[in-house]
mmCIF file of all heavy atoms in Angstrom:
data_model
loop_
_atom_site.group_PDB
_atom_site.id
_atom_site.type_symbol
_atom_site.label_atom_id
_atom_site.label_comp_id
_atom_site.label_asym_id
_atom_site.label_seq_id
_atom_site.Cartn_x
_atom_site.Cartn_y
_atom_site.Cartn_z
ATOM 1 N N MET A 16 -96.183 264.962 125.639
ATOM 2 C CA MET A 16 -96.738 264.314 124.451
ATOM 3 C C MET A 16 -96.178 262.850 124.316
ATOM 4 O O MET A 16 -96.387 262.250 123.285
ATOM 5 C CB MET A 16 -96.347 265.109 123.171
ATOM 6 C CG MET A 16 -96.939 266.525 123.171
ATOM 7 S SD MET A 16 -96.674 267.377 121.585
ATOM 8 C CE MET A 16 -94.874 267.534 121.619
ATOM 9 N N GLY A 17 -95.617 262.346 125.374
ATOM 10 C CA GLY A 17 -95.067 260.997 125.285
ATOM 11 C C GLY A 17 -93.727 260.890 124.612
ATOM 12 O O GLY A 17 -93.291 259.825 124.247
ATOM 13 N N ILE A 18 -93.069 262.032 124.419
ATOM 14 C CA ILE A 18 -91.761 262.050 123.740
ATOM 15 C C ILE A 18 -90.670 262.400 124.732
ATOM 16 O O ILE A 18 -90.807 263.274 125.564
ATOM 17 C CB ILE A 18 -91.755 263.151 122.605
ATOM 18 C CG1 ILE A 18 -92.862 262.810 121.578
ATOM 19 C CG2 ILE A 18 -90.397 263.140 121.897
ATOM 20 C CD1 ILE A 18 -93.079 263.931 120.600
ATOM 21 N N ASN A 19 -89.553 261.690 124.625
ATOM 22 C CA ASN A 19 -88.418 261.932 125.485
ATOM 23 C C ASN A 19 -87.459 262.947 124.811
ATOM 24 O O ASN A 19 -86.544 262.555 124.085
ATOM 25 C CB ASN A 19 -87.664 260.664 125.823
ATOM 26 C CG ASN A 19 -86.550 260.874 126.820
ATOM 27 O OD1 ASN A 19 -86.512 261.855 127.547
ATOM 28 N ND2 ASN A 19 -85.559 259.948 126.781
ATOM 29 N N PHE A 20 -87.697 264.238 125.039
ATOM 30 C CA PHE A 20 -86.855 265.274 124.422
ATOM 31 C C PHE A 20 -85.523 265.290 125.144
ATOM 32 O O PHE A 20 -85.445 265.277 126.347
ATOM 33 C CB PHE A 20 -87.552 266.637 124.503
ATOM 34 C CG PHE A 20 -88.726 266.745 123.568
ATOM 35 C CD1 PHE A 20 -90.042 266.483 124.033
ATOM 36 C CD2 PHE A 20 -88.558 267.138 122.226
ATOM 37 C CE1 PHE A 20 -91.111 266.583 123.189
ATOM 38 C CE2 PHE A 20 -89.663 267.239 121.389
ATOM 39 C CZ PHE A 20 -90.908 266.987 121.822
ATOM 40 N N ALA A 21 -84.470 265.414 124.356
ATOM 41 C CA ALA A 21 -83.087 265.478 124.923
ATOM 42 C C ALA A 21 -82.797 266.781 125.568
ATOM 43 O O ALA A 21 -81.831 266.936 126.295
ATOM 44 C CB ALA A 21 -82.109 265.191 123.815
ATOM 45 N N GLY A 22 -83.548 267.798 125.253
ATOM 46 C CA GLY A 22 -83.453 269.154 125.815
ATOM 47 C C GLY A 22 -84.553 270.053 125.327
ATOM 48 O O GLY A 22 -85.347 269.642 124.462
ATOM 49 N N LYS A 23 -84.679 271.229 125.867
ATOM 50 C CA LYS A 23 -85.804 272.099 125.548
ATOM 51 C C LYS A 23 -85.637 272.888 124.229
ATOM 52 O O LYS A 23 -86.584 273.452 123.706
ATOM 53 C CB LYS A 23 -86.089 273.073 126.708
ATOM 54 C CG LYS A 23 -86.648 272.425 127.930
ATOM 55 C CD LYS A 23 -87.119 273.423 128.954
ATOM 56 C CE LYS A 23 -87.803 272.709 130.137
ATOM 57 N NZ LYS A 23 -88.374 273.645 131.098
ATOM 58 N N LEU A 24 -84.395 272.946 123.769
ATOM 59 C CA LEU A 24 -84.126 273.759 122.589
ATOM 60 C C LEU A 24 -84.067 272.905 121.336
ATOM 61 O O LEU A 24 -83.284 271.954 121.275
ATOM 62 C CB LEU A 24 -82.776 274.508 122.748
ATOM 63 C CG LEU A 24 -82.402 275.444 121.588
ATOM 64 C CD1 LEU A 24 -83.425 276.544 121.411
ATOM 65 C CD2 LEU A 24 -81.021 275.993 121.787
ATOM 66 N N GLY A 25 -84.853 273.287 120.325
ATOM 67 C CA GLY A 25 -84.896 272.503 119.059
ATOM 68 C C GLY A 25 -84.659 273.427 117.857
ATOM 69 O O GLY A 25 -84.607 274.611 117.946
ATOM 70 N N LEU A 45 -78.699 270.058 120.059
ATOM 71 C CA LEU A 45 -80.101 270.339 120.109
ATOM 72 C C LEU A 45 -80.911 269.217 120.772
ATOM 73 O O LEU A 45 -80.478 268.108 120.814
ATOM 74 C CB LEU A 45 -80.704 270.550 118.694
ATOM 75 C CG LEU A 45 -80.173 271.827 117.947
ATOM 76 C CD1 LEU A 45 -80.474 271.741 116.498
ATOM 77 C CD2 LEU A 45 -80.745 273.100 118.584
ATOM 78 N N GLY A 46 -82.064 269.556 121.358
ATOM 79 C CA GLY A 46 -82.911 268.519 121.970
ATOM 80 C C GLY A 46 -83.831 267.832 121.031
ATOM 81 O O GLY A 46 -84.354 266.818 121.344
ATOM 82 N N PHE A 47 -84.114 268.472 119.914
ATOM 83 C CA PHE A 47 -84.960 267.904 118.870
ATOM 84 C C PHE A 47 -84.858 268.720 117.616
ATOM 85 O O PHE A 47 -84.264 269.828 117.590
ATOM 86 C CB PHE A 47 -86.446 267.867 119.296
ATOM 87 C CG PHE A 47 -87.083 269.189 119.598
ATOM 88 C CD1 PHE A 47 -87.992 269.728 118.684
ATOM 89 C CD2 PHE A 47 -86.841 269.883 120.783
ATOM 90 C CE1 PHE A 47 -88.581 270.939 118.952
ATOM 91 C CE2 PHE A 47 -87.419 271.107 121.035
ATOM 92 C CZ PHE A 47 -88.343 271.633 120.110
ATOM 93 N N ILE A 48 -85.344 268.172 116.526
ATOM 94 C CA ILE A 48 -85.260 268.749 115.199
ATOM 95 C C ILE A 48 -86.634 268.730 114.528
ATOM 96 O O ILE A 48 -87.340 267.724 114.691
ATOM 97 C CB ILE A 48 -84.330 267.994 114.259
ATOM 98 C CG1 ILE A 48 -82.927 267.838 114.848
ATOM 99 C CG2 ILE A 48 -84.181 268.627 112.869
ATOM 100 C CD1 ILE A 48 -82.091 266.707 114.170
ATOM 101 N N GLU A 49 -86.957 269.816 113.824
ATOM 102 C CA GLU A 49 -88.187 269.818 113.041
ATOM 103 C C GLU A 49 -87.801 270.051 111.560
ATOM 104 O O GLU A 49 -87.159 271.026 111.257
ATOM 105 C CB GLU A 49 -89.192 270.886 113.455
ATOM 106 C CG GLU A 49 -90.529 270.754 112.794
ATOM 107 C CD GLU A 49 -91.588 271.604 113.416
ATOM 108 O OE1 GLU A 49 -91.739 271.607 114.658
ATOM 109 O OE2 GLU A 49 -92.347 272.258 112.672
ATOM 110 N N LYS A 99 -80.572 260.380 117.033
ATOM 111 C CA LYS A 99 -80.199 260.447 118.475
ATOM 112 C C LYS A 99 -81.267 261.223 119.248
ATOM 113 O O LYS A 99 -81.369 261.084 120.477
ATOM 114 C CB LYS A 99 -78.845 261.194 118.606
ATOM 115 C CG LYS A 99 -77.691 260.472 117.996
ATOM 116 C CD LYS A 99 -76.384 261.200 118.219
ATOM 117 C CE LYS A 99 -75.204 260.583 117.548
ATOM 118 N NZ LYS A 99 -73.967 261.407 117.684
ATOM 119 N N ILE A 100 -82.000 262.056 118.607
ATOM 120 C CA ILE A 100 -82.965 262.979 119.204
ATOM 121 C C ILE A 100 -84.319 262.898 118.445
ATOM 122 O O ILE A 100 -84.317 262.494 117.299
ATOM 123 C CB ILE A 100 -82.454 264.406 119.293
ATOM 124 C CG1 ILE A 100 -82.029 264.868 117.886
ATOM 125 C CG2 ILE A 100 -81.283 264.541 120.282
ATOM 126 C CD1 ILE A 100 -81.551 266.320 117.846
ATOM 127 N N PRO A 101 -85.426 263.301 119.084
ATOM 128 C CA PRO A 101 -86.675 263.320 118.375
ATOM 129 C C PRO A 101 -86.667 264.187 117.113
ATOM 130 O O PRO A 101 -86.035 265.247 117.098
ATOM 131 C CB PRO A 101 -87.659 263.831 119.398
ATOM 132 C CG PRO A 101 -87.014 263.552 120.716
ATOM 133 C CD PRO A 101 -85.557 263.743 120.479
ATOM 134 N N ILE A 102 -87.390 263.714 116.101
ATOM 135 C CA ILE A 102 -87.461 264.478 114.818
ATOM 136 C C ILE A 102 -88.978 264.645 114.464
ATOM 137 O O ILE A 102 -89.713 263.657 114.344
ATOM 138 C CB ILE A 102 -86.782 263.749 113.714
ATOM 139 C CG1 ILE A 102 -85.278 263.615 114.015
ATOM 140 C CG2 ILE A 102 -87.013 264.483 112.393
ATOM 141 C CD1 ILE A 102 -84.478 262.865 112.957
ATOM 142 N N GLY A 103 -89.384 265.898 114.390
ATOM 143 C CA GLY A 103 -90.754 266.238 113.921
ATOM 144 C C GLY A 103 -90.662 266.577 112.469
ATOM 145 O O GLY A 103 -89.698 266.997 111.887
ATOM 146 N N ASP A 133 -91.580 261.636 115.024
ATOM 147 C CA ASP A 133 -91.900 261.663 116.440
ATOM 148 C C ASP A 133 -93.073 262.551 116.741
ATOM 149 O O ASP A 133 -93.802 262.336 117.693
ATOM 150 C CB ASP A 133 -90.661 262.081 117.247
ATOM 151 C CG ASP A 133 -89.540 261.047 117.217
ATOM 152 O OD1 ASP A 133 -89.772 259.975 117.809
ATOM 153 O OD2 ASP A 133 -88.530 261.296 116.540
ATOM 154 N N TYR A 134 -93.225 263.614 115.915
ATOM 155 C CA TYR A 134 -94.450 264.378 115.951
ATOM 156 C C TYR A 134 -94.641 265.047 114.612
ATOM 157 O O TYR A 134 -93.710 265.059 113.768
ATOM 158 C CB TYR A 134 -94.377 265.468 117.044
ATOM 159 C CG TYR A 134 -93.422 266.628 116.850
ATOM 160 C CD1 TYR A 134 -93.749 267.777 116.121
ATOM 161 C CD2 TYR A 134 -92.107 266.572 117.366
ATOM 162 C CE1 TYR A 134 -92.853 268.787 115.936
ATOM 163 C CE2 TYR A 134 -91.206 267.598 117.164
ATOM 164 C CZ TYR A 134 -91.571 268.694 116.445
ATOM 165 O OH TYR A 134 -90.714 269.710 116.209
ATOM 166 N N PRO A 179 -98.049 262.623 118.001
ATOM 167 C CA PRO A 179 -98.761 263.882 118.311
ATOM 168 C C PRO A 179 -98.775 264.827 117.136
ATOM 169 O O PRO A 179 -97.898 264.817 116.272
ATOM 170 C CB PRO A 179 -97.852 264.445 119.414
ATOM 171 C CG PRO A 179 -97.064 263.320 119.975
ATOM 172 C CD PRO A 179 -96.902 262.350 118.830
ATOM 173 N N LEU A 181 -99.228 268.890 116.057
ATOM 174 C CA LEU A 181 -99.122 270.282 116.512
ATOM 175 C C LEU A 181 -99.573 271.198 115.419
ATOM 176 O O LEU A 181 -99.596 270.836 114.252
ATOM 177 C CB LEU A 181 -97.623 270.597 116.923
ATOM 178 C CG LEU A 181 -97.089 269.916 118.184
ATOM 179 C CD1 LEU A 181 -96.700 268.469 117.961
ATOM 180 C CD2 LEU A 181 -95.897 270.710 118.726
ATOM 181 N N VAL A 257 -99.003 271.358 124.758
ATOM 182 C CA VAL A 257 -97.613 271.717 124.709
ATOM 183 C C VAL A 257 -97.417 272.994 123.867
ATOM 184 O O VAL A 257 -97.977 273.066 122.785
ATOM 185 C CB VAL A 257 -96.731 270.629 124.193
ATOM 186 C CG1 VAL A 257 -95.317 271.060 124.002
ATOM 187 C CG2 VAL A 257 -96.757 269.399 125.124
ATOM 188 N N ILE A 259 -94.590 275.342 122.064
ATOM 189 C CA ILE A 259 -93.196 275.541 121.632
ATOM 190 C C ILE A 259 -93.027 276.988 121.245
ATOM 191 O O ILE A 259 -93.692 277.501 120.366
ATOM 192 C CB ILE A 259 -92.880 274.621 120.411
ATOM 193 C CG1 ILE A 259 -93.088 273.137 120.798
ATOM 194 C CG2 ILE A 259 -91.437 274.882 119.935
ATOM 195 C CD1 ILE A 259 -92.732 272.188 119.686
ATOM 196 N N ASP A 279 -93.135 275.403 126.801
ATOM 197 C CA ASP A 279 -92.548 274.196 127.365
ATOM 198 C C ASP A 279 -91.234 273.810 126.650
ATOM 199 O O ASP A 279 -90.346 273.231 127.234
ATOM 200 C CB ASP A 279 -93.545 273.035 127.190
ATOM 201 C CG ASP A 279 -94.860 273.316 127.829
ATOM 202 O OD1 ASP A 279 -94.912 273.248 129.090
ATOM 203 O OD2 ASP A 279 -95.837 273.576 127.119
ATOM 204 N N LEU A 280 -91.191 274.214 125.360
ATOM 205 C CA LEU A 280 -90.000 273.913 124.530
ATOM 206 C C LEU A 280 -89.698 275.145 123.655
ATOM 207 O O LEU A 280 -90.545 276.079 123.607
ATOM 208 C CB LEU A 280 -90.281 272.717 123.615
ATOM 209 C CG LEU A 280 -90.581 271.389 124.240
ATOM 210 C CD1 LEU A 280 -91.154 270.375 123.227
ATOM 211 C CD2 LEU A 280 -89.336 270.763 124.823
ATOM 212 N N LEU A 281 -88.582 275.174 123.011
ATOM 213 C CA LEU A 281 -88.188 276.322 122.221
ATOM 214 C C LEU A 281 -87.647 275.863 120.856
ATOM 215 O O LEU A 281 -87.185 274.711 120.717
ATOM 216 C CB LEU A 281 -87.063 277.122 122.909
ATOM 217 C CG LEU A 281 -87.321 277.589 124.336
ATOM 218 C CD1 LEU A 281 -86.021 278.122 124.977
ATOM 219 C CD2 LEU A 281 -88.406 278.722 124.320
ATOM 220 N N GLN A 282 -87.694 276.761 119.901
ATOM 221 C CA GLN A 282 -87.150 276.509 118.595
ATOM 222 C C GLN A 282 -86.378 277.757 118.108
ATOM 223 O O GLN A 282 -86.822 278.853 118.376
ATOM 224 C CB GLN A 282 -88.165 276.144 117.534
ATOM 225 C CG GLN A 282 -88.737 274.724 117.685
ATOM 226 C CD GLN A 282 -89.723 274.408 116.607
ATOM 227 O OE1 GLN A 282 -90.338 275.249 115.975
ATOM 228 N NE2 GLN A 282 -89.933 273.106 116.326
#
Side-chain angles (χ1 to χ4, degrees):
M16 299 187 294
I18 302 171
N19 183 24
F20 288 94
K23 290 190 175 185
L24 181 64
L45 294 166
F47 62 104
I48 304 164
E49 187 168 316
K99 296 179 182 177
I100 53 178
I102 298 177
D133 291 292
Y134 70 87
L181 290 78
V257 172
I259 300 180
D279 302 289
L280 299 165
L281 303 169
Q282 286 181 337

